[in-house]
Amino acid sequence: MKPRLAVWKFSSCDGCQLTLLDCEDELLDIAEAVEIAYFLEATRTTRAGPYDVSLVEGSISTADEMERIQQIRRDSRILITIGACATAGGIQALRNSRDHDALRASVYPSPQFIEALATSTPIADHVTVDFELRGCPIDKGQLLEAITALLKGRKPAIPDYSQCTECKLAGTACVMVTKGIPCLGPVTQGGCGNLCPQVGRGCYGCFGPKENANTGALVAEMAALGADRRTIRDLFGGFTASAPAFAAERERHDG
Amino acid sequence: MDRAAAEPVDRSIVIPAESLDTLIGALRDGGYQVWGAQERDGALGLAPLAAAADLPRGRVEAAEAGTVRLTDGPRPAYFDHTLPMQGLKRMVYPARERLYAAGQAMSLEEDPVEAPPIAVLGVRPCDLAALDTLTAVFESGPFVDDRFRQRRAALFLVAVNCMRPAATCFCASMNTGPRAEGGFDLVLDEVMEGDRHVFVVASGSARGRAVLDALAGEEAGQADREAARAGSQACAEAQRRHMPDGVAALLKQSYDDPHWANVAERCLSCANCTLVCPTCFCSTVEDRSSLDGAEAERWRRWDSCFGLDFSYLHGGAVRTETASRYRQWMTHKLSHWHDQFGMSGCVGCGRCIGWCPVGIDITAEAQALAASEQAA
Ligand code: SF4
Ligand code: SF4
Ligand code: SF4
Ligand code: SF4
Ligand code: SF4
């Protein structure tokens, strides 16, 4: 019997699921290797659990989602979170440090119909996660590697190194050192394929903090290069704003 | 390896600066692609040269700890700039390469090495020393890295002696520059005096001599040879950074020094220093397989002692804190390397200083450690 794959959506934009559909060349191989048991973005046919691998996109931002993720965890042998929303709470987690009622009223004309939690949180805050794929969106190569490796029972070759490592592997000229452009690369986990520095812009941290992120030292250098408090706050207030290392730096520069 | 012992310069001639293209042509006639430093996206990198005009003529680095900016220099010299961001290492030891592929028939195919003959024009003395260092790492002892060996053997080295250091250079205190004493096929000195702009070209190997003999040029006179030596001397004296004496022994005593915690407050553990260092040789191996499991591949890619996974042993990583990672890097470069390979792992190129995003300076840290040990 083929292993059964399910793809789930929580609070998110669908971009990470699209990465799976974007695996055009490999899609037939995937369909060959696994039974796609639940993937609403691709097919309306759904099959009940249990599942061998569940890919979970999105953050927990409603009471209903809090319950749904528990059932999915019970139904899944391996649970992989995909993307900045699922792994860090996403851009919607910017609300976490604000007055929720006031925010809701400022956005929606009839806020009483909006049933949302005051916070948007990563999946790992609610259930055990077996593996996480970072990024906004995730990288296609990493997704294929994670699925392949976990189905074969080997460790995925997905490094936790810095974005700087990607720059130097690719031979990209450092934008901080050559141009004084603030860059989150030294505190951000690599994996995107060096997208931003390669085109001459600073990394904006969509893969989230790397292990051992020394944000304080990086901020001191950014300030020395002329970045003001607001620029620094906004840099740390992106798609992974709520990841603890980045949230702390953003709050330190707020106001 | 005793670098000074080898000075096989057997002939030196003088050619006008415009004849650099003739030299490039002669190298091509000898069957080599010609590579040199080129400016791209605000930094220098090694790339194939169509003509001498591709070189960053007249450009210099305004380098300091944490900054490397290319600007116009005072004169139209071809080689007043110093070093590409990454040196010859990329050419002999690629950042990523597939080693093996295995198929269903249980066959294991080693990937062939592509090593076309390449002449590199403008290799600086520190980078020659770095190539010697890598050669000692990969080719001495019972295990020879044949992929490295083949690529290394395919290089023809046209060195250039430095006339102007970048502010990050400290080769003089590491005895690796700014004048090359061997390890090259040809070596150039760029001499500019008034309207006169020439290269003194000397050979350092039989194949270098063959290329030299194909060039039309006068034998180099005493005056030009002296001007060249004086230029190197001035370059050594202009260096502001230096490594303190006895650093190898100092690091052996500094394991518990409180200064490591001080560096760790500033260090990002981003790995840039190791990945621009021309002698850092660490790599890791990754296995990949196809979705159906029918094919598998083994890849090698550069790794760094600044990563967490680097020190992963059974049960977890050993160096979880930045202080222990920085200590590993500096102690390996400047101390344990002597025990391992009989030489320093640092050639004084200064890349790790300029390309560190927060400007951590290995010479300043060595001095701070010396002061800290003295106080203790
Ligand atoms: S551009 Fe950014 S990510 Fe790349 S090396 Fe520089 S600081 Fe690191
Ligand atoms: S010394 Fe500089 S380049 Fe090296 S890891 Fe630390 S911050 Fe990065
Ligand atoms: S440690 Fe720094 S100065 Fe020494 S060889 Fe490496 S990059 Fe150059
Ligand atoms: S300093 Fe670190 S990366 Fe460089 S060779 Fe030594 S252990 Fe490897
Ligand atoms: S370190 Fe010395 S040999 Fe290397 S580029 Fe600078 S001056 Fe030249």
Side-chain angles (χ1 to χ4, degrees):
Chain A
M1 230 177 57
K2 286 195 213 169
R4 312 182 77 220
L5 177 79
V7 185
W8 309 97
K9 176 188 160 63
F10 287 78
S11 291
S12 58
C13 78
D14 286 35
C16 290
Q17 298 183 57
L18 268 178
T19 307
L20 186 58
L21 290 178
D22 199 27
C23 296
E24 287 165 4
D25 295 338
E26 299 86 359
L27 212 49
L28 285 177
D29 289 343
I30 295 174
E32 193 67 32
V34 300
E35 175 197 343
I36 297 179
Y38 190 101
F39 185 11
L40 286 183
E41 187 149 311
T43 166
R44 266 185 294 171
T45 316
T46 59
R47 299 194 184 92
Y51 310 100
D52 291 286
V53 178
S54 275
L55 301 176
V56 178
E57 175 196 86
S59 67
I60 301 297
S61 108
T62 66
D64 165 61
E65 287 177 338
M66 272 173 87
E67 282 175 28
R68 206 152 56 86
I69 192 62
Q70 298 297 338
Q71 186 58 44
I72 290 169
R73 177 66 271 191
R74 282 194 289 274
D75 286 346
S76 311
R77 188 165 65 85
I78 299 170
L79 190 153
I80 309 176
T81 47
I82 58 170
C85 299
T87 59
I91 190 85
Q92 59 274 27
L94 276 173
R95 75 167 180 256
N96 294 4
S97 56
R98 306 265 210 97
D99 176 345
H100 187 229
D101 289 332
L103 200 60
R104 197 158 44 170
S106 74
V107 175
Y108 298 99
S110 308
Q112 69 274 22
F113 297 119
I114 303 298
E115 283 178 18
L117 299 170
T119 56
S120 163
T121 44
I123 301 294
D125 283 8
H126 303 267
V127 295
T128 305
V129 169
D130 298 302
F131 200 78
E132 60 175 34
L133 288 176
R134 307 279 195 90
C136 183
I138 52 168
D139 174 75
K140 182 174 122 173
Q142 288 203 339
L143 176 63
L144 283 169
E145 169 60 12
I147 295 174
T148 311
L150 293 171
L151 286 177
K152 290 278 171 272
R154 66 174 170 84
K155 188 177 168 229
I158 292 177
D160 62 358
Y161 54 43
S162 63
Q163 180 55 231
C164 298
T165 302
E166 292 215 302
C167 275
K168 292 300 179 285
L169 291 178
T172 303
C174 174
V175 301
M176 285 249 284
V177 166
T178 61
K179 303 190 183 80
I181 298 172
C183 178
L184 285 187
V187 295
T188 298
Q189 180 167 312
C192 65
N194 197 223
L195 295 177
C196 294
Q198 214 161 50
V199 295
R201 54 172 289 176
C203 164
Y204 60 98
C206 75
F207 268 60
K210 81 169 189 76
E211 56 83 27
N212 219 13
N214 188 350
T215 54
L218 181 63
V219 160
E221 180 68 21
M222 288 175 172
L225 289 170
D228 58 20
R229 283 177 66 78
R230 202 193 149 119
T231 305
I232 293 168
R233 181 198 69 186
D234 292 350
L235 259 174
F236 285 98
F239 299 98
T240 53
S242 187
F246 287 5
E249 216 52 66
R250 182 171 51 91
E251 276 153 29
R252 215 166 290 145
H253 291 81
D254 208 2
Chain B
M1 248 182 257
D2 189 356
R3 290 178 184 117
E7 191 162 13
V9 171
D10 49 5
R11 187 177 170 217
S12 59
I13 61 169
V14 173
I15 61 170
E18 308 82 72
S19 295
L20 210 47
D21 277 319
T22 315
L23 172 60
I24 292 173
L27 292 166
R28 272 207 199 104
D29 292 345
Y32 295 99
Q33 289 177 35
V34 184
W35 287 44
Q38 287 181 49
E39 189 170 340
R40 205 185 308 128
D41 301 327
L44 297 178
L46 289 174
L49 291 175
D54 289 343
L55 292 165
R57 186 174 184 182
R59 303 285 274 170
V60 298
E61 298 97 340
E64 252 314 325
T67 21
V68 181
R69 312 266 168 108
L70 288 166
T71 58
D72 284 330
R75 55 183 199 166
Y78 282 100
F79 297 106
D80 269 355
H81 66 272
T82 58
L83 300 167
M85 179 176 81
Q86 289 163 316
L88 298 168
K89 185 167 87 175
R90 278 197 92 83
M91 303 182 70
V92 287
Y93 180 46
R96 281 194 188 94
E97 69 174 323
R98 194 173 78 173
L99 301 176
Y100 296 99
Q104 243 162 350
M106 295 304 283
S107 59
L108 195 64
E109 299 278 338
E110 184 172 351
D111 269 38
V113 177
E114 275 185 39
I118 296 177
V120 190
L121 173 60
V123 181
R124 299 321 167 100
C126 58
D127 270 358
L128 286 178
L131 191 60
D132 275 357
T133 309
L134 279 184
T135 306
V137 170
F138 286 123
E139 294 191 33
S140 64
F143 303 105
V144 171
D145 187 312
D146 199 55
R147 308 184 74 82
F148 175 89
R149 191 192 55 75
Q150 290 185 50
R151 293 188 174 105
R152 165 74 188 86
L155 291 187
F156 182 107
L157 300 168
V158 184
V160 167
N161 289 322
C162 292
M163 296 276 168
R164 176 201 157 273
T168 41
C169 294
F170 62 100
C171 61
S173 68
M174 302 307 291
N175 287 321
T176 56
R179 193 165 183 80
E181 305 291 358
F184 48 78
D185 294 294
L186 290 173
V187 63
L188 309 183
D189 280 289
E190 185 169 22
V191 178
M192 292 179 85
E193 283 163 339
D195 287 346
R196 192 152 175 277
H197 187 185
V198 298
F199 287 105
V200 179
V201 189
S203 53
S205 69
R207 55 185 192 171
R209 175 67 187 261
V211 173
L212 184 113
D213 287 344
L215 298 174
E218 307 259 303
E219 297 304 311
Q222 183 80 8
D224 280 329
R225 290 209 305 260
E226 268 167 22
R229 288 217 162 256
S232 299
Q233 186 60 34
C235 178
E237 281 160 14
Q239 293 186 10
R240 291 196 282 105
R241 288 183 158 84
H242 66 274
M243 189 57 76
D245 289 340
V247 70
L250 168 72
L251 283 163
K252 286 214 165 87
Q253 308 157 17
S254 308
Y255 186 83
D256 292 321
D257 199 282
H259 187 66
W260 299 119
N262 172 298
V263 188
E265 279 172 27
R266 291 169 281 135
C267 173
L268 308 166
S269 64
C270 65
N272 273 303
C273 46
T274 53
L275 299 172
V276 294
C277 179
T279 67
C280 272
F281 57 80
C282 287
S283 63
T284 187
V285 160
E286 286 173 351
D287 289 337
R288 308 226 157 211
S289 53
S290 60
L291 259 169
D292 60 3
E295 278 142 44
E297 295 180 342
R298 172 157 289 186
W299 285 72
R300 173 165 79 177
R301 73 157 163 82
W302 291 352
D303 202 1
S304 164
C305 53
F306 278 97
L308 181 66
D309 272 354
F310 185 89
S311 69
Y312 188 92
L313 302 177
H314 177 74
V318 185
R319 294 188 203 105
T320 52
E321 286 159 5
T322 302
S324 59
R325 301 186 205 174
Y326 190 88
R327 180 177 62 201
Q328 158 64 23
W329 134 260
M330 188 169 172
T331 309
H332 189 211
K333 299 262 74 163
L334 297 170
S335 187
H336 293 158
W337 210 291
H338 287 279
D339 307 325
Q340 224 180 338
F341 305 111
M343 56 172 70
S344 171
C346 172
V347 297
C349 72
R351 284 186 177 93
C352 56
I353 304 171
W355 294 101
C356 170
V358 291
I360 292 175
D361 175 345
I362 192 169
T363 64
E365 301 312 331
Q367 267 137 19
L369 270 175
S372 171
E373 283 294 309
Q374 216 157 30

